[in-house]
């Protein structure tokens, strides 16, 4: 999806509160695609825009002047099974503390990782061939990041360190889905109220695609992912994808992009509200929780502003936005070896896949917009670029789309300085996949998901909470699709920010987006423009996370199929969740459970 930010009209004031130690690479407004820019100007709101006090922390990487592009991009190793369990490959994965240098000039950083690795190891699975995974918590009893015990799921006497793993985008039964209250502690000594099994079963009952795994423990997901328990790739492969001749082996590289604050001693810094709640007289403001996290330092595959040396040939990059809250709007720019841009565009991206698998045909793009949790599968052809360097840049504002917070302008550097090891026989076929559109006429129900934020009474308007349909996590379940049926969900965004909405279990399709007048809502859903069909990068395509733009109704359609072979009898209930994938929002009520009924 291209960037829809408008330069026209008076911009509402935006969040300021995470400028810790200054901003590196602050840029101006994003110039988006003309069609979406014209259809989605800034929309008037009844809510004031959020201004936040600067937390007391200082001395982040931006003030240290860390050198960029001095560390080589690492690639996470592929994990191997430990044996077999009931005839299927069995993996035993342990969550452990680790120490790792994230930058040449910083001391090692204390982190948590799957199998003691950051970023986590990559799974490679085959379509139709199930595996079993035992996720083990071997972490200490105390968290090294600040916990807000007023947030749902984190209240005493809940253990402060607990984990549960969600394989994002997988069609899986509830016991293996990573339900937020199915958490477990070190050695499974304590478990959450919905914990069912120590061993997860992944059927791999879907086409070749790029999935990822991360922590999902209620109340501390944002902290566990920030500590390192996020950004692990899970690749499903199949015979059809193998037959296409896409770049493979060492020429197929997963890239997970994350932002962080790093102290001079290398330690992670996760800001909190000031002890006096920023002077806010509203006692409902959570004392520790922050509305979003935006760091001043970009890591790719666990390294700060890395470089990758490539041959003059085609490469396939599976890109994941693994950040807590930051959107990225990225382009390739020709640059000096130092990373200084030359003012010339780099090679195009040929997008071949989305969240749920390959697109019908490649889409040529000059820019990529990614919300947290989205994946984009691209091929970049460096064949005629020998001796050149290309900077992957970012100019997405935070919060997206028109915030005024820090914007790290650089992501990583590609150096086309390696000798071609052999003739490049890879290709990008003109036809990649079959993605039949789901017909809305087949939908048996339409549901509305209304996104809202509640501001505090303070003039700085700190958000207190983010919600869906004004419902809390523990309120009665209202979304109950029946197994095998198709539904249309309208995501009605009344806030001033974009929200990436993720639905567990299903891969859905985006129907359209349409702007509406937020000043008349609730009451009247008054549209202010025509419905806009997504571009070919989003339709037809399979998605599990969709960008819901501010002041916009986004329609998605899904068939709520359970894994093949599941017999859903009348009275059966299968429990899943949907939520905003800005982790700070998810943690403070912008997440709801739903039943799939037999």
């Amino acid at each position: 999806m291209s960037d829809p930010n408008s330069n026209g009209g008076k911009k509402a004031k935006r969040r300021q509160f995470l400028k810790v130690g200054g901003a590196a690479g602050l840029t101006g407004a994003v110039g988006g695609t003309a069609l979406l820019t014209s259809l989605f100007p800034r929309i008037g709101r009844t809510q004031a825009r959020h201004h936040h006090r600067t937390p007391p922390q200082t001395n982040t990487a931006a003030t240290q002047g860390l050198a960029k592009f001095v560390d080589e991009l690492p690639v996470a190793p592929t994990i191997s099974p430990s044996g077999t369990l009931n005839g299927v490959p069995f993996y035993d994965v342990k969550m452990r503390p680790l120490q790792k240098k994230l930058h040449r000039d910083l001391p090692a950083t204390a982190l948590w990782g799957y199998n003691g690795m950051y970023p986590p190891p990559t799974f490679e699975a085959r379509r139709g061939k199930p595996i079993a995974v035992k996720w083990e918590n071997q972490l200490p009893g105390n968290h090294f990041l600040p916990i807000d015990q007023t947030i749902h799921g984190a209240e005493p006497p809940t253990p402060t360190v607990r984990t549960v793993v969600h394989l994002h985008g997988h069609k899986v039964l509830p016991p293996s889905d990573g339900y937020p209250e199915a958490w477990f502690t070190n050695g499974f000594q304590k478990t959450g109220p919905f914990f069912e099994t120590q061993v997860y079963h992944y059927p791999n009952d879907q086409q070749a695609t790029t999935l990822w795994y991360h922590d999902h423990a209620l109340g501390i997901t944002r902290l566990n992912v920030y500590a390192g328990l996020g950004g692990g790739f899970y690749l499903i492969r199949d015979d059809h994808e193998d037959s296409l001749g896409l770049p493979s082996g060492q020429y197929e590289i997963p890239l997970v992009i994350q932002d962080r604050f790093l102290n001079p001693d290398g330690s992670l810094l996760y800001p909190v509200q000031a002890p006096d709640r920023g002077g806010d007289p509203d006692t409902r403001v959570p004392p520790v929780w922050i509305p979003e996290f935006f760091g001043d330092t970009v890591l790719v595959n666990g390294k700060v502003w890395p470089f990758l040396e490539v041959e003059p040939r085609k490469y396939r990059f599976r890109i994941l936005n693994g950040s807590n809250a930051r959107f990225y709007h990225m382009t390739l720019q020709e640059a000096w070896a130092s990373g200084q841009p030359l003012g010339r565009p780099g090679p195009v991206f040929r997008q071949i896949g989305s969240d749920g698998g390959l697109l019908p045909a490649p889409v040529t793009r000059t820019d990529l917009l990614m919300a947290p949790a989205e994946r984009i599968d691209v091929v970049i052809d460096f064949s005629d670029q020998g001796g050149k360097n290309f900077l992957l840049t970012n100019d997405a504002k935070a919060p997206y789309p028109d915030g005024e917070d820090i914007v790290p302008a650089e992501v990583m550097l590609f150096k086309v300085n390696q000798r071609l090891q052999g003739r490049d026989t890879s290709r990008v076929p003109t036809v990649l996949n079959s993605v039949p559109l789901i017909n809305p006429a087949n939908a048996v129900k339409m549901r509305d998901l209304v996104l809202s934020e509640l501001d505090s009474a303070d003039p700085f308007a700190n958000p207190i909470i983010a919600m869906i349909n004004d419902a809390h996590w523990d309120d009665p379940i209202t979304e109950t699709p029946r197994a095998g049926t198709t539904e249309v969900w309208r995501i009605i965004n009344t806030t001033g920010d974009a929200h990436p909405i993720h639905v567990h279990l299903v891969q859905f399709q985006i129907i359209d987006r349409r702007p509406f007048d937020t000043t008349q809502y609730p009451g009247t859903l008054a549209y202010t423009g025509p419905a806009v069909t997504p571009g070919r990068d989003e339709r037809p395509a399979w998605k599990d996370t969709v960008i819901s733009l501010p002041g916009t109704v986004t329609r998605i359609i899904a068939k709520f199929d359970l894994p093949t072979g599941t017999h859903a009898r009348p009275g059966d209930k299968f429990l899943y969740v949907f939520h905003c994938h800005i982790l700070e929002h998810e943690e403070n009520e912008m997440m709801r459970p739903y039943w799939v009924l037999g």
Side-chain angles (χ1 to χ4, degrees), residues 3 89 101 116 130 144 157 166 187 206 232 276 315 338 414 469 502 547 550:
D3 189 304
K101 284 179 67 69
F144 67 91
H166 172 52
Q206 56 204 98
D276 64 353
Y315 280 76
S338 63
F414 298 93
N469 290 344
H502 171 47
I547 296 176

Side-chain angles (χ1 to χ4, degrees), residues 271-346:
V272 300
Q273 298 281 16
D276 64 353
R277 295 179 178 163
D280 196 320
D282 194 329
T283 57
R284 298 173 299 168
V285 177
V288 177
W289 172 84
I290 55 175
E292 293 103 2
F293 171 82
F294 303 120
D296 62 358
T297 305
V298 176
L299 288 77
V300 184
N301 290 1
K303 282 291 182 182
V304 173
W305 292 304
F307 68 86
L308 175 65
E309 296 181 326
V310 299
E311 300 173 28
R313 54 156 294 145
K314 293 185 287 296
Y315 280 76
R316 179 181 184 181
F317 296 102
R318 299 176 184 254
I319 308 174
L320 159 67
N321 181 350
S323 294
N324 280 35
R326 183 176 293 285
F327 285 62
Y328 296 90
H329 177 244
M330 298 179 290
T331 58
L332 270 178
Q333 302 290 329
E334 188 176 351
W336 297 106
S338 63
Q340 182 67 29
L342 288 169
R344 296 193 290 267

Side-chain angles (χ1 to χ4, degrees), residues 73 75 124 126 207-211 233-256 301 308 310-320 348-359 368 375-383 412 414 424 426-429 432-433:
L73 177 85
V75 178
E124 292 212 10
R126 297 292 301 185
Q207 66 180 324
T209 189
T210 305
L211 309 180
F233 283 90
Y234 187 105
L235 310 180
I236 298 179
R237 301 188 184 277
D238 64 18
D239 293 343
H240 171 69
E241 182 192 51
D242 293 345
S243 71
L244 296 176
L246 297 166
S248 60
Q250 64 181 312
Y251 305 110
E252 177 189 20
I253 301 175
L255 302 175
V256 53
N301 290 1
L308 175 65
V310 299
E311 300 173 28
R313 54 156 294 145
K314 293 185 287 296
Y315 280 76
R316 179 181 184 181
F317 296 102
R318 299 176 184 254
I319 308 174
L320 159 67
V348 297
F349 306 99
R350 299 198 70 191
Q351 183 176 347
I352 59 172
S354 186
D355 298 341
L358 295 170
L359 300 175
L368 302 175
R375 285 88 67 208
I376 293 181
D377 195 346
V378 300
V379 172
I380 302 176
D381 192 350
F382 297 107
S383 296
M412 65 175 292
F414 298 93
D424 181 8
S426 67
R427 61 194 184 99
V428 181
L432 295 168
N433 196 16

Side-chain angles (χ1 to χ4, degrees), residues 542-558:
W542 293 112
K543 297 281 293 175
D544 54 53
T545 305
V546 60
I547 296 176
S548 169
L549 294 167
T552 302
V553 175
T554 302
R555 292 198 301 161
I556 63 173
I557 187 168

Side-chain angles (χ1 to χ4, degrees), residues 56 92 135 194 207 320 413 442 452 459 470 479 549 556 573:
D92 191 357
W135 303 100
F194 288 84
Q207 66 180 324
L320 159 67
L413 185 68
N442 295 330
S452 62
D470 288 327
E479 281 65 46
L549 294 167
I556 63 173
K573 295 181 178 181

Side-chain angles (χ1 to χ4, degrees), residues 469-491:
N469 290 344
D470 288 327
H472 293 267
W473 167 255
D474 291 329
D475 285 342
I477 292 175
T478 52
E479 281 65 46
T480 55
R482 290 202 170 273
T485 65
T486 298
E487 295 193 356
V488 171
W489 289 12
R490 296 194 307 182
I491 305 169

